[in-house]
Amino acid sequence: VTLLRRSSETYARKQQLLQQTLYNSCSSSTGAINKWTSLAAEKDELHKQKNKKQKSQNVFQETIRWNSYASSADAAEVLEEEEKDWRIDNPFFDKARENAAGRRMQENLVGALSLEPREGEEVDETVFKNVDGRRIEDGRYAAFINRLQREGIIAENKILSDPVRTFAYGTDASFYRLNPRYVIKISSEDEIKRILPIALELGVPVTFRAAGTSLSGQAITDSVLLKLSHHGKNFRNYEIRNGGKEITVEPGLIGGEVNKLLARYKHINKLKDQYKIGPDPASIESCMIGGIVSNNSSGMCCGVAMNSYHTVKDLRLVFVDGTILDTSIPESVEAFKQSHAYLLKQVSELAEEVQSDPDLVALIKKKFAIKCTTGYSINALVDAPPSEPMEILKKLMIGSEGTLAFVSKVTFNTVPEFPDKASCFVLFPDIEMACEAAYRLRKQGKASAVELFDRASLKEFENDEKMLKLVKGLSDSGPDAASLLIECTGPDDDDLNERIKAVVDLLREEKYIGPREDISMEIGDFPFTKVADEYKCYWNARKGLIPIVGGARPNGTSMLIEDVACSVDNLGKMAKDLIYMFRRYGYDDAATFGHALEGNLHLVFSQGFRNTAEIERFDAMMQEMAYIVATKYKGSLKAEHGTGRNVAPFVEMEWGTKAYDIMWRLKAIFDPDNIVNPGVILNKDPEIHMKSLKQSPVADSTYDTANKCIECGFCESNCPSRDLSLTPRQRVTVYREISRLKAKESLTIPEQERLRQMTEAFDYMGNATCAADGMCQEKCPVKINTGELIKSLREREMSESANTLAMYAANNFGVVNAMVPPLLNTVDLAHGVLGSSVLETTSRLLNKISGNSIPVWNKYMPRGAKKLDTSDCVSGAEETDIRNSVVYIPSCVTRMMGPARGDSVTEPVHEKMISILKKANYNVIIPESIDSMCCGMMFDSRGNKPAANSKAYALEDMMKEVSMNGRIPVICDTSPCTQTIKNKLRDKMMGFSVYEPVEFVNHFCMDRLEFDKVKENVAIHIPCSSKKMGIESNFKKLAGMCAENVHESGIPCCGMAGDRGMRYEELTKSSLQHLDVPSGCKDGYSTSRTCEMSLSRQSDVNFRGLLYLIDEATRPKQKATGK
């Protein structure tokens, strides 16, 4: 008893930990004492025989691990003084070394890594075999493509086979690389229906892909990839019914978009209750419905009860023979029963066989009581009677990762989205204590979500000043500390308060709460907060953990995310074992966190695949992790990320032979020829998880941050060129490959040709069509701005003569400023005389001849702006009362460009800005030298860095002088220019005095102006720069004060990128194909003149600056006062 009691003294603590380890392994206390005595003697002998130190230590370690593996994490503290080599006497390493068998790593043409074949297992490159790396062209692929084109199924421009785009689509969010032979952009269900029978006939394997955010290698292939996303408006239809309680969606919609559609439906129909789809994965703003359903996604709050399996009501499916089944249409169901009676009979017989085996039924129910996406959803075989094969079939499709059929439509039963929320962040001295609290919270059922964080995670939170301020004692966390982030939600405040009280009362019973055992704290020290900014801080910190690990990893390594689960009562023990395992194998950056209510852990760490030793370490770690999770704790090796290729070799280990055989029989029922997504979920190759490994070569660029890209794909939905050329993820990965090839000492002839083709193609797809707006950074978990990578390449490629010309223009910008308005008026005059079609055709020809240097004209191109009228303004602070003044910097764009021909307004933006400021009773200061000023953005986007910096720094010096070093606020009337000014400031403190127009009106004019709603319907487009500056909500708020109904454009970025969208008009056309302007809406507003031009052309509605609407809707308050 004395030895088992906790002691604050180090020696006693170590003695207790060791004895507790051994005590847990024995059937009686006598056995514990005997074993303790025996091993204590062994430890003494270890110190006496120094020449046998390493061997004795590992015997000691192995005795602990195998006799009482449940406490191996505690044993780590006892052994931390001893130097250990994880490879010695490690059966998992022995197996990994046996697997590697001294084989070297080999690299294929596209840079994927695998161990070389064993002797006698060399590949016959003349024989097709339906396994990764063996799908050679033996005539079947040529015949397949020929059939698709000859029968008019797929247009030639939708079939991609060039080295850039096949490489780009050979990447998903996993650490595998398989380059498709062909990528086919699919437009409709009918195309799938016609393609699959041809693929079946010719033996051509196909893989379906939506967003490509999968983490286990299930969205890639070296055969034919059928791509749904980045293809316009295809697969994006939806229908909401029953007051929002049901929604039918196609697979190309993003999960977050679906929730926004449901929110808009509630708002438009003025409904009381808000609904959302059940699954809420962390990638919900990027992953698509096709992947959510095919992977049976869940997330932080939905748990098991609200995952795809339990919330999908109906499916529309296309089977490999081309048959369509819609489970929501009785006629379709009856037709399928007639045509596929034998298939349904097999399903019924299999369900009957499973249900007649009590042990198997018990195993299935136990496995699916927690999160589990390892293997197929065979709970379908026990959740419905054998007499209902259609219901079984429907459930089997969920989580099948595209290996049984294609999902073309899904109907969800939605779940309530409660408006009232509160969160608290509670520290515990030990992760097992935190997990025990989570277990009790699960049984209580009052918390909506509980997230667990280990000590490595808390260390990262300590670098966040907001977290340090909100979480008492965070900086005092001990070496084993952990925490729980607890959220409660409710339909109203009373219900929420009742839930909070129940949770607090339960946690008040905890013996230890606080960062360490010797720091006594209470649950009251970690209060719930209903303040959105505070609880969002907690959840943003949670979302930021993955990028922290990804961003800190060494160049050349990949970030891996494993995803495991066990019953919640075992979570603490399993978490300790996994943390100890990572320490032993030297994964020093590993972080362990996850959804504690569901017993779900995410394991994030970096891994290189550069040599055999790294492969052996990875294999040994995977083998041990599989043992800990699947064998020891009877858990799930994949809780919510899907099996893919990553754990396909371990499915039998987790499920046992009987259930594993059932899964193979299911695959044979639906896809006997192994045509759809072969090798995923089930794979007979025990080494498939170590083959086709993706390299992370260093990109040859001054923008080193790009090398931190984890290729997750979160950025893609924000990219204006995603439907046209490449996405940010693809730009980074393709440029890495170009850098890899350039860095090789000697290239084979195929590599030389491939490098040439990729370099030439990247010039347009990667460089020319990149808007470089940085919206990718807004969704990137590692905060990579791919636009900066591209601008660095443009700067490198910029010729000396081009830089000289740019600098000349910068030095003489006053002349440029004076020349542009008359030039625009001349073009507008030609428009009036010649008409739109002649001018547009001529400009398009000149654009082609000039290599995209001359913009393509359209009827919404602006006239020249009227000259800036400063008659009612002053030029310096000394001429006015600075306490009631503002420095106004009209951008060069608004100084040069006025409204377009046909617009109902004729005044330039700067006239409206001055009008608003005067109504608000401000003294307006406009610098005398304004005509020669520019923020430098027009030079920067082209890669003319010297000219860009020259203008930016000159503007900064002038602003500091006129504003008295920022004492007077500075306003610029164009959002992109404002952002550029702030980004280019050398004196970052000056940035606090610079305001975008919406931001300024919201902060400084609300108590000086009266607003009236002067429009019935308006459309707004919030520029990407405004979103990046965080003023999106203010933009919507001001528009709502001026109009009855405000419709957002739904466009992350219009793709205009200064004048790039005029020179590459396909860029803006591609981005704006999703523009949402309701019929009958006649007015559109933004805060970027160039964006407004492209928006007007696409919608045929005049878009103009929001300042026009604000000026029309406002009047001075009778007593305007200073603020």
Side-chain angles (χ1 to χ4, degrees):
V1 174
T2 303
L3 285 171
L4 288 171
R5 185 177 300 144
R6 291 185 178 273
S7 169
S8 60
E9 298 179 9
T10 304
Y11 178 78
R13 169 67 172 155
K14 289 184 177 181
Q15 296 292 322
Q16 179 269 324
L17 282 168
L18 181 57
Q19 185 171 1
Q20 186 178 21
T21 294
L22 299 170
Y23 187 94
N24 289 341
S25 72
C26 299
S27 58
S28 66
S29 57
T30 303
I33 294 170
N34 289 339
K35 190 160 284 190
W36 160 249
T37 304
S38 172
L39 282 175
E42 183 178 339
K43 190 177 181 184
D44 290 337
E45 184 67 14
L46 181 146
H47 286 292
K48 292 176 184 177
Q49 300 180 30
K50 299 216 172 175
N51 60 327
K52 297 180 180 179
K53 175 181 177 181
Q54 188 66 54
K55 181 178 178 181
S56 298
Q57 172 206 319
N58 281 283
V59 169
F60 177 70
Q61 177 183 341
E62 285 299 300
T63 303
I64 292 173
R65 289 182 66 237
W66 297 111
N67 287 345
S68 179
Y69 205 86
S71 300
S72 63
D74 286 338
E77 187 170 343
V78 180
L79 296 172
E80 64 185 0
E81 292 181 349
E82 307 289 349
E83 294 180 5
K84 298 177 293 297
D85 186 335
W86 58 268
R87 292 166 293 190
I88 298 175
D89 293 329
N90 182 342
F92 302 110
F93 174 66
D94 292 342
K95 185 175 181 181
R97 186 168 50 184
E98 181 183 346
N99 289 341
R103 293 176 288 161
R104 295 173 299 176
M105 297 297 294
Q106 65 179 18
E107 179 182 270
N108 66 12
L109 182 62
V110 298
L113 299 171
S114 301
L115 289 171
E116 61 186 0
R118 289 184 175 85
E119 188 175 348
E121 295 181 356
E122 290 79 8
V123 175
D124 185 347
E125 297 183 357
T126 65
V127 177
F128 178 94
K129 190 173 182 181
N130 193 8
V131 296
D132 295 348
R134 302 283 297 276
R135 300 182 181 102
I136 66 157
E137 169 60 289
D138 59 355
R140 70 183 66 204
Y141 289 104
F144 177 70
I145 296 300
N146 183 264
R147 283 276 298 276
L148 297 186
Q149 294 179 337
R150 190 176 72 244
E151 296 179 19
I153 300 172
I154 299 291
E156 184 178 357
N157 64 352
K158 294 180 183 178
I159 301 174
L160 314 177
S161 60
D162 61 90
V164 165
R165 284 179 290 186
T166 52
F167 188 85
Y169 287 115
T171 295
D172 66 359
S174 73
F175 50 93
Y176 299 102
R177 165 162 299 288
L178 287 170
N179 263 34
R181 192 171 291 275
Y182 292 97
V183 177
I184 300 177
K185 288 196 165 188
I186 302 298
S187 302
S188 66
E189 176 191 85
D190 184 66
E191 290 179 356
I192 293 283
K193 175 186 174 181
R194 299 172 67 187
I195 287 172
L196 289 182
I198 297 174
L200 178 62
E201 177 187 338
L202 298 175
V204 173
V206 297
T207 292
F208 312 116
R209 173 161 162 154
T213 56
S214 300
L215 291 159
S216 302
Q218 58 266 60
I220 53 176
T221 181
D222 57 4
S223 186
V224 174
L225 190 70
L226 303 180
K227 188 77 172 71
L228 314 184
S229 60
H230 308 155
H231 196 192
K233 297 182 179 181
N234 303 304
F235 292 106
R236 292 177 56 81
N237 294 317
Y238 68 93
E239 181 185 358
I240 302 174
R241 296 181 299 277
N242 196 13
K245 292 180 180 179
E246 285 184 19
I247 184 167
T248 298
V249 290
E250 291 186 336
L253 278 167
I254 293 171
E257 284 183 309
V258 175
N259 286 338
K260 290 182 178 72
L261 291 170
L262 287 163
R264 187 168 73 172
Y265 176 85
K266 172 191 178 271
H267 175 73
I268 292 173
N269 293 281
K270 297 179 172 55
L271 300 175
K272 178 185 176 182
D273 298 320
Q274 175 67 59
Y275 293 93
K276 63 178 182 177
I277 59 172
D280 63 335
S283 59
I284 194 168
E285 295 300 332
S286 303
C287 65
M288 294 179 176
I289 292 298
I292 288 173
V293 172
S294 295
N295 289 302
N296 190 21
S297 297
S298 48
M300 288 184 284
C301 298
C302 81
V304 173
M306 294 188 292
N307 64 12
S308 297
Y309 183 90
H310 289 101
T311 58
V312 167
K313 180 182 180 182
D314 283 298
L315 293 172
R316 187 174 173 91
L317 305 163
V318 184
F319 292 92
V320 71
D321 62 357
T323 302
I324 294 176
L325 167 65
D326 192 326
T327 64
S328 69
I329 301 175
E331 294 81 3
S332 176
V333 172
E334 287 304 315
F336 190 83
K337 286 180 178 179
Q338 294 296 320
S339 64
H340 289 70
Y342 181 63
L343 182 150
L344 294 175
K345 180 175 179 289
Q346 288 178 290
V347 171
S348 291
E349 290 174 348
L350 195 57
E352 190 172 4
E353 178 184 331
V354 170
Q355 293 182 26
S356 66
D357 186 332
D359 291 339
L360 186 55
V361 169
L363 172 65
I364 291 171
K365 288 184 175 181
K366 182 178 180 180
K367 293 287 293 178
F368 286 104
I370 61 173
K371 289 185 179 183
C372 180
T373 59
T374 309
Y376 286 112
S377 300
I378 57 174
N379 47 336
L381 297 172
V382 301
D383 288 346
S387 58
E388 296 182 15
M390 194 63 70
E391 188 65 24
I392 297 171
L393 179 152
K394 182 171 63 178
K395 293 294 189 182
L396 284 170
M397 295 299 140
I398 299 168
S400 62
E401 301 179 30
T403 63
L404 303 181
F406 173 74
V407 178
S408 64
K409 196 176 288 186
V410 185
T411 298
F412 284 98
N413 288 319
T414 58
V415 300
E417 170 72 298
F418 293 130
D420 292 278
K421 300 178 181 180
S423 297
C424 69
F425 196 97
V426 186
L427 295 174
F428 292 85
D430 176 83
I431 197 168
E432 199 162 355
M433 296 177 187
C435 291
E436 288 169 359
Y439 177 57
R440 286 191 286 276
L441 287 168
R442 177 184 170 89
K443 288 198 297 182
Q444 182 194 60
K446 296 295 184 180
S448 303
V450 179
E451 293 291 293
L452 171 72
F453 306 99
D454 71 344
R455 183 65 183 96
S457 306
L458 294 181
K459 284 179 182 176
E460 303 303 339
F461 295 158
E462 289 173 17
N463 297 321
D464 187 326
E465 290 185 9
K466 291 181 180 178
M467 287 292 290
L468 286 172
K469 183 178 179 181
L470 288 171
V471 183
K472 184 178 179 181
L474 178 60
S475 59
D476 298 320
S477 297
D480 300 312
S483 67
L484 295 179
L485 169 55
I486 305 167
E487 181 179 78
C488 291
T489 63
D492 54 55
D493 200 49
D494 288 341
D495 183 87
L496 177 62
N497 288 335
E498 184 273 325
R499 291 173 180 273
I500 292 173
K501 183 179 183 304
V503 169
V504 171
D505 288 346
L506 183 147
L507 293 178
R508 194 171 280 122
E509 299 172 4
E510 289 294 316
K511 183 177 179 181
Y512 292 103
I513 282 184
R516 296 202 310 260
E517 286 187 24
D518 58 348
I519 298 180
S520 179
M521 300 179 76
E522 299 177 352
I523 186 60
D525 293 313
F526 305 102
F528 273 91
T529 176
K530 297 179 183 178
V531 179
D533 287 344
E534 293 182 356
Y535 67 67
K536 283 181 180 178
C537 178
Y538 296 149
W539 290 99
N540 288 338
R542 155 67 177 89
K543 293 175 183 176
L545 276 177
I546 290 177
I548 289 170
V549 176
R553 75 186 194 279
N555 286 346
T557 64
S558 299
M559 188 190 77
L560 276 59
I561 306 175
E562 295 302 334
D563 164 48
V564 300
C566 68
S567 58
V568 185
D569 56 327
N570 282 326
L571 183 62
K573 294 183 179 67
M574 186 177 81
K576 277 191 170 182
D577 282 352
L578 291 170
I579 291 169
Y580 175 46
M581 177 196 75
F582 280 125
R583 288 177 186 169
R584 287 179 53 248
Y585 283 94
Y587 290 97
D588 299 326
D589 63 348
T592 303
F593 55 93
H595 318 314
L597 276 187
E598 306 299 328
N600 183 192
L601 294 177
H602 295 314
L603 315 172
V604 183
F605 57 99
S606 59
Q607 170 71 54
F609 299 113
R610 294 160 292 199
N611 51 54
T612 305
E614 288 186 329
I615 293 292
E616 289 175 343
R617 180 176 72 143
F618 170 68
D619 188 21
M621 182 275 295
M622 283 291 293
Q623 299 283 351
E624 183 161 354
M625 184 186 73
Y627 169 79
I628 292 171
V629 175
T631 301
K632 181 177 177 182
Y633 292 107
K634 310 301 180 187
S636 307
L637 286 169
K638 284 296 178 183
E640 55 184 3
H641 293 168
T643 307
R645 289 171 167 82
N646 187 209
V647 297
F650 303 96
V651 175
E652 184 175 10
M653 177 184 184
E654 176 174 329
W655 274 100
T657 302
K658 189 184 295 185
Y660 187 59
D661 288 344
I662 293 289
M663 294 179 188
W664 275 108
R665 289 164 64 186
L666 278 172
K667 174 69 171 175
I669 290 173
F670 291 97
D671 182 26
D673 294 286
N674 206 20
I675 295 299
V676 287
N677 216 3
V680 166
I681 294 184
L682 303 177
N683 199 306
K684 294 185 182 299
D685 185 350
E687 295 183 4
I688 193 64
H689 65 297
M690 300 188 299
K691 292 181 177 178
S692 304
L693 299 168
K694 181 168 61 181
Q695 292 194 64
S696 294
V698 177
D700 176 24
S701 166
T702 55
Y703 185 66
D704 185 60
T705 308
N707 290 311
K708 303 304 179 184
C709 177
I710 57 179
E711 300 182 7
C712 63
F714 286 14
C715 57
E716 295 190 331
S717 59
N718 262 11
C719 180
S721 66
R722 65 187 182 276
D723 292 347
L724 173 66
S725 52
L726 297 178
T727 67
R729 166 171 63 173
Q730 293 170 338
R731 284 188 171 90
V732 170
T733 194
V734 169
Y735 189 68
R736 278 174 169 171
E737 176 65 2
I738 291 172
S739 299
R740 181 186 73 85
L741 290 171
K742 285 182 176 179
K744 292 190 74 170
E745 292 183 2
S746 61
L747 297 176
T748 64
I749 292 176
E751 285 175 331
Q752 291 174 17
E753 178 60 18
R754 189 160 170 272
L755 175 59
R756 182 191 66 78
Q757 291 178 352
M758 292 188 79
T759 303
E760 290 177 0
F762 189 79
D763 186 54
Y764 174 80
M765 287 190 275
N767 189 336
T769 54
C770 177
D773 56 20
M775 277 304 289
C776 47
Q777 187 178 38
E778 296 305 290
K779 280 197 170 183
C780 174
V782 192
K783 293 303 175 187
I784 295 168
N785 184 341
T786 308
E788 291 298 323
L789 168 66
I790 298 303
K791 284 193 282 189
S792 74
L793 301 183
R794 291 171 184 169
E795 180 184 9
R796 179 192 297 177
E797 295 165 3
M798 191 61 60
S799 65
E800 186 176 343
S801 60
N803 272 326
T804 301
L805 182 62
M807 187 59 78
Y808 179 81
N811 292 335
N812 298 276
F813 199 77
V815 177
V816 175
N817 187 87
M819 289 174 58
V820 172
L823 177 62
L824 291 174
N825 286 331
T826 302
V827 174
D828 181 66
L829 181 63
H831 174 202
V833 174
L834 300 175
S836 300
S837 59
V838 173
L839 207 55
E840 190 166 346
T841 302
T842 303
S843 67
R844 187 167 283 112
L845 178 63
L846 291 172
N847 173 263
K848 185 176 181 179
I849 293 172
S850 67
N852 299 99
S853 296
I854 297 175
V856 175
W857 182 91
N858 70 78
K859 67 177 183 177
Y860 289 101
M861 292 283 271
R863 292 170 169 170
K866 294 178 183 178
K867 185 173 176 58
L868 178 64
D869 182 4
T870 61
S871 58
D872 201 19
C873 308
V874 297
S875 59
E878 66 279 358
E879 303 175 46
T880 187
D881 178 7
I882 65 171
R883 293 171 297 178
N884 198 43
S885 299
V886 59
V887 175
Y888 172 35
I889 307 293
S891 69
C892 61
V893 176
T894 58
R895 298 199 307 267
M896 293 188 277
M897 297 181 180
R901 174 181 286 266
D903 199 341
S904 59
V905 299
T906 58
E907 303 90 346
V909 172
H910 47 74
E911 191 171 313
K912 296 298 179 182
M913 184 77 256
I914 293 172
S915 171
I916 293 168
L917 293 173
K918 286 296 180 180
K919 280 190 281 188
N921 197 29
Y922 276 108
N923 302 312
V924 182
I925 303 171
I926 298 180
E928 216 171 292
S929 57
I930 191 64
D931 285 345
S932 64
M933 291 295 137
C934 170
C935 67
M937 182 174 63
M938 67 169 64
F939 301 106
D940 192 57
S941 65
R942 285 177 170 81
N944 300 116
K945 270 281 197 281
N949 291 340
S950 170
K951 296 310 297 175
Y953 299 157
L955 179 61
E956 178 183 359
D957 293 339
M958 183 268 291
M959 286 193 308
K960 291 179 73 173
E961 179 182 351
V962 178
S963 70
M964 302 180 69
N965 284 318
R967 287 176 61 194
I968 305 173
V970 178
I971 182 172
C972 177
D973 55 27
T974 301
S975 297
C977 298
T978 309
Q979 185 195 23
T980 301
I981 290 170
K982 289 188 173 188
N983 290 344
K984 288 283 187 178
L985 288 173
R986 293 162 295 179
D987 180 359
K988 295 303 178 184
M989 293 300 294
M990 184 67 192
F992 291 104
S993 300
V994 179
Y995 293 89
E996 188 267 355
V998 168
E999 188 181 23
F1000 184 86
V1001 171
N1002 186 69
H1003 282 304
F1004 297 107
C1005 298
M1006 300 302 286
D1007 62 341
R1008 296 169 175 248
L1009 298 171
E1010 298 282 359
F1011 284 79
D1012 297 307
K1013 296 192 175 186
V1014 295
K1015 300 285 185 183
E1016 183 66 27
N1017 290 290
V1018 300
I1020 61 169
H1021 171 71
I1022 304 170
C1024 46
S1025 50
S1026 296
K1027 292 170 185 169
K1028 295 189 75 174
M1029 288 187 287
I1031 56 177
E1032 191 170 358
S1033 60
N1034 287 338
F1035 197 113
K1036 290 184 278 191
K1037 171 187 168 184
L1038 282 179
M1041 294 174 69
C1042 304
E1044 294 291 345
N1045 300 297
V1046 178
H1047 307 277
E1048 294 185 59
S1049 68
I1051 303 297
C1053 171
C1054 70
M1056 196 62 169
D1059 69 341
R1060 187 164 295 271
M1062 292 184 276
R1063 294 185 292 116
Y1064 295 90
E1065 62 174 346
E1066 65 271 29
L1067 178 58
T1068 52
K1069 285 182 178 180
S1070 175
S1071 176
L1072 292 175
Q1073 64 185 306
H1074 305 288
L1075 181 63
D1076 182 15
V1077 177
S1079 59
C1081 181
K1082 302 299 182 185
D1083 296 282
Y1085 298 95
S1086 187
T1087 47
S1088 169
R1089 187 66 192 94
T1090 52
C1091 295
E1092 291 151 19
M1093 290 157 51
S1094 62
L1095 292 160
S1096 299
R1097 181 191 64 186
Q1098 188 71 20
S1099 64
D1100 212 24
V1101 170
N1102 274 301
F1103 272 76
R1104 57 187 77 93
L1106 185 66
L1107 294 174
Y1108 287 93
L1109 179 61
I1110 295 174
D1111 186 51
E1112 183 181 352
T1114 56
R1115 61 185 187 279
K1117 280 194 175 178
Q1118 288 187 344
K1119 292 184 179 180
T1121 59
K1123 187 173 180 180

